[in-house]
Amino acid sequence: MTDVTAFNVDSSNSIHQEIVDISQKRVLIIEDIGEMRIMLKSLMTSLGYSKIDVEYSGQMAIKRILEKHYDVILSDYNLGGSIDGQQILETSRKNYAQDHSTIFIMVTADTAYESVVSVLEYQPDSYLVKPFPPAAFFRRLEKVQKQKKIFEGINTARKLNEYEKMEAQAKSIMAEYPHFASQCLKIIGESLYARGRYKDAKSHYMLIIKNHKTLAWAHYGIAQCEMQLGAVGAAIKKLEQTIELSRHFLSAYDLLADAQEDQGNLEDAQFAMKRALEVSPRSNDRCLRLADLSAKVADWETAEHAYSRIIRLTRDTINEKVEYYYEYLKCLTNMMNAGGDNAKLADKFKRSLIRLRSFGKANPAAISNSFRIEIQQYLTREHTGEAIKSWKQWNRLIKSGQASPLTDAQKHTLKKRLGLL
């Protein structure tokens, strides 16, 4: 089974397509504008593709990508929701939900994308700026398909963890196709690192930088090797260089936070995550990490903002979790304890508590946690009477099985705090 292999444009700009069997190929179109969805589907159908899924939501697109393999993904950059095309690309590449054989083409109306795509860590195989004629789309797709064919052996070797074979094939491709040298050098570094040859990989990346000082991925490669070799301080310096060269290199922020946390520099790790979120403000994982680091350094205001962002990003999606509300309520309680605006914080607390109990009503542990934090909040505000009312309601739910039970020791401690002993 092979792909569409050739498109020829004649003098009248009509496109002749040599189509071979692609009936089993899967396509995912991610686009929030109906007319554009129809057009992209029509273009792919005209090439012979029939297994075409269409999504208008970034959230649902990520769900599909994590569930099944696609051969071609066409995604709009600005989807208008909490997830954009770049995050979809990052998720699919970073989590290896789609292997390197998947064609990912970004479609965007944002001409500014042209100025940043070359420095992005996770780059699409190609991109098109709207509006574009069908001929331009076909030419881009053909070009990417040809490149995928050239790297097909490497992609297969990667899936089989045959790293030595990857390296040998990369060297062969580089000799035959010099214009792919950068991709091949990157693959060789990946191969050396995957085989645990960290000193060799470091030397490989250093030689690349000697000739090409501004390649962010090579600086990042050195930082990865330094981390594995135990030179955390050197890794931190290299990661800062990586970010200076490309502020969009998101993995550099992640590894920088790891390195700083490894050194016990929690506030510096927190700062790394703040910087990452300036570049990728819709990243749920990085919001979670910022919230966790902020809680560790008792920066409850930043933790509260981070959890608030997580709740907004995940609400009414498959990623919404009761834990986010519970942790958010803990942040609000700690802010009250630190002398914050209790009236304003109490209002936020009440609204989030209602959502937690509604969302987690079928989860006895979530219900118990909601009462646990509510009582703590009342005691923080010295509203003992309200805390006792909350305990009585909680106790009734425990007896009915709607809330998870407490141990005798936990009951004794709680009653003592409430002055009921």
Side-chain angles (χ1 to χ4, degrees):
M1 179 166 51
T2 53
D3 291 320
V4 176
T5 55
F7 301 92
N8 299 305
V9 183
D10 64 17
S11 57
S12 64
N13 290 325
S14 64
I15 300 172
H16 301 285
Q17 305 161 17
E18 180 190 336
I19 302 178
V20 293
D21 184 15
I22 54 173
S23 61
Q24 298 307 307
K25 299 285 186 181
R26 290 188 176 276
V27 177
L28 176 61
I29 295 169
I30 311 163
E31 171 61 67
D32 60 341
I33 298 174
E35 294 86 347
M36 197 67 192
R37 287 198 298 273
I38 293 169
M39 189 193 86
L40 290 172
K41 186 172 182 180
S42 176
L43 289 174
M44 296 306 289
T45 301
S46 73
L47 295 176
Y49 291 91
S50 58
K51 293 189 174 183
I52 303 174
D53 292 330
V54 180
E55 283 294 346
Y56 66 88
S57 155
Q59 282 283 359
M60 291 307 298
I62 286 179
K63 184 175 184 293
R64 280 189 183 271
I65 285 169
L66 294 175
E67 287 177 348
K68 68 171 74 168
H69 173 81
Y70 288 97
D71 299 283
V72 181
I73 297 175
L74 309 174
S75 177
D76 186 39
Y77 179 59
N78 293 307
L79 289 167
S82 61
I83 299 292
D84 62 24
Q86 196 62 36
Q87 285 174 276
I88 294 169
L89 174 60
E90 181 186 350
T91 299
S92 65
R93 294 276 166 85
K94 189 172 183 179
N95 297 321
Y96 293 96
Q98 305 298 309
D99 65 41
H100 288 69
S101 66
T102 297
I103 291 173
F104 195 112
I105 296 179
M106 197 77 77
V107 181
T108 176
D110 187 358
T111 54
Y113 189 75
E114 293 179 287
S115 65
V116 301
V117 67
S118 63
V119 296
L120 290 171
E121 176 190 359
Y122 296 100
Q123 297 180 359
D125 295 300
S126 190
Y127 69 94
L128 284 159
V129 177
K130 303 174 188 177
F132 54 83
F137 174 82
F138 294 139
R139 283 194 298 270
R140 291 289 176 94
L141 182 59
E142 178 198 14
K143 183 179 179 181
V144 175
Q145 286 172 329
K146 286 180 177 178
Q147 182 173 333
K148 291 292 183 182
K149 280 291 181 186
I150 291 169
F151 285 87
E152 187 174 41
I154 287 176
N155 293 332
T156 301
R158 182 186 280 112
K159 284 190 281 187
L160 298 172
N161 297 328
E162 295 177 347
Y163 299 113
E164 289 185 25
K165 191 173 182 180
M166 277 175 59
E167 181 177 347
Q169 291 195 26
K171 289 177 178 177
S172 177
I173 291 171
M174 189 162 51
E176 187 174 354
Y177 304 97
H179 57 289
F180 288 141
S182 182
Q183 294 98 310
C184 291
L185 289 170
K186 194 173 185 180
I187 289 164
I188 292 168
E190 176 191 346
S191 170
L192 291 168
Y193 184 85
R195 284 143 61 194
R197 293 174 56 182
Y198 305 124
K199 289 183 179 179
D200 291 336
K202 178 182 171 182
S203 298
H204 171 74
Y205 288 124
M206 288 179 73
L207 185 60
I208 293 170
I209 288 173
K210 186 177 179 181
N211 298 314
H212 305 281
K213 292 181 172 57
T214 60
L215 286 178
W217 59 261
H219 287 273
Y220 178 74
I222 292 174
Q224 284 184 301
C225 295
E226 297 286 25
M227 284 291 287
Q228 293 294 340
L229 294 168
V232 182
I236 289 171
K237 289 180 181 178
K238 268 295 165 193
L239 290 165
E240 291 289 2
Q241 277 186 276
T242 304
I243 292 166
E244 187 177 339
L245 288 167
S246 174
R247 65 183 292 267
H248 298 88
F249 207 108
L250 293 168
S251 290
Y253 297 97
D254 297 334
L255 190 59
L256 180 58
D258 290 342
Q260 295 288 15
E261 195 165 6
D262 180 81
Q263 297 287 82
N265 304 326
L266 296 182
E267 291 184 352
D268 289 330
Q270 179 197 35
F271 183 59
M273 280 298 96
K274 285 182 179 179
R275 293 163 69 190
L277 285 165
E278 288 174 3
V279 178
S280 180
R282 298 173 181 176
S283 172
N284 189 42
D285 289 342
R286 293 185 182 96
C287 280
L288 276 172
R289 185 151 193 205
L290 176 60
D292 178 63
L293 287 165
S294 300
K296 285 179 179 177
V297 297
D299 181 356
W300 299 113
E301 185 174 349
T302 300
E304 185 264 340
H305 284 314
Y307 276 117
S308 177
R309 184 185 292 182
I310 293 163
I311 287 168
R312 287 197 304 275
L313 289 173
T314 61
R315 182 155 182 164
D316 296 323
T317 74
I318 59 172
N319 296 315
E320 188 175 18
K321 296 181 181 178
V322 292
E323 292 83 2
Y324 299 156
Y325 292 96
Y326 181 60
E327 294 298 331
Y328 178 65
L329 292 170
K330 282 169 64 177
C331 291
L332 292 172
T333 302
N334 279 295
M335 289 172 72
M336 292 178 199
N337 194 42
D341 183 346
N342 279 10
K344 184 177 179 180
L345 294 173
D347 182 59
K348 285 185 177 182
F349 189 99
K350 183 178 179 180
R351 284 186 277 113
S352 295
L353 185 67
I354 291 170
R355 177 61 182 173
L356 169 58
R357 286 179 179 162
S358 171
F359 179 63
K361 61 186 177 183
N363 184 338
I367 296 300
S368 275
N369 281 334
S370 75
F371 280 99
R372 183 178 287 109
I373 194 63
E374 182 183 37
I375 289 170
Q376 185 179 338
Q377 174 258 160
Y378 279 135
L379 292 175
T380 294
R381 296 168 61 204
E382 298 182 351
H383 292 185
T384 306
E386 294 297 326
I388 292 172
K389 287 181 185 177
S390 183
W391 160 242
K392 289 179 178 178
Q393 184 183 356
W394 183 11
N395 199 37
R396 287 194 296 271
L397 292 175
I398 290 173
K399 289 178 180 178
S400 69
Q402 293 174 266
S404 58
L406 301 178
T407 65
D408 290 339
Q410 288 172 328
K411 282 184 182 179
H412 183 272
T413 300
L414 182 59
K415 287 182 177 180
K416 188 174 181 181
R417 290 189 64 196
L418 292 170
L420 298 176
L421 291 179

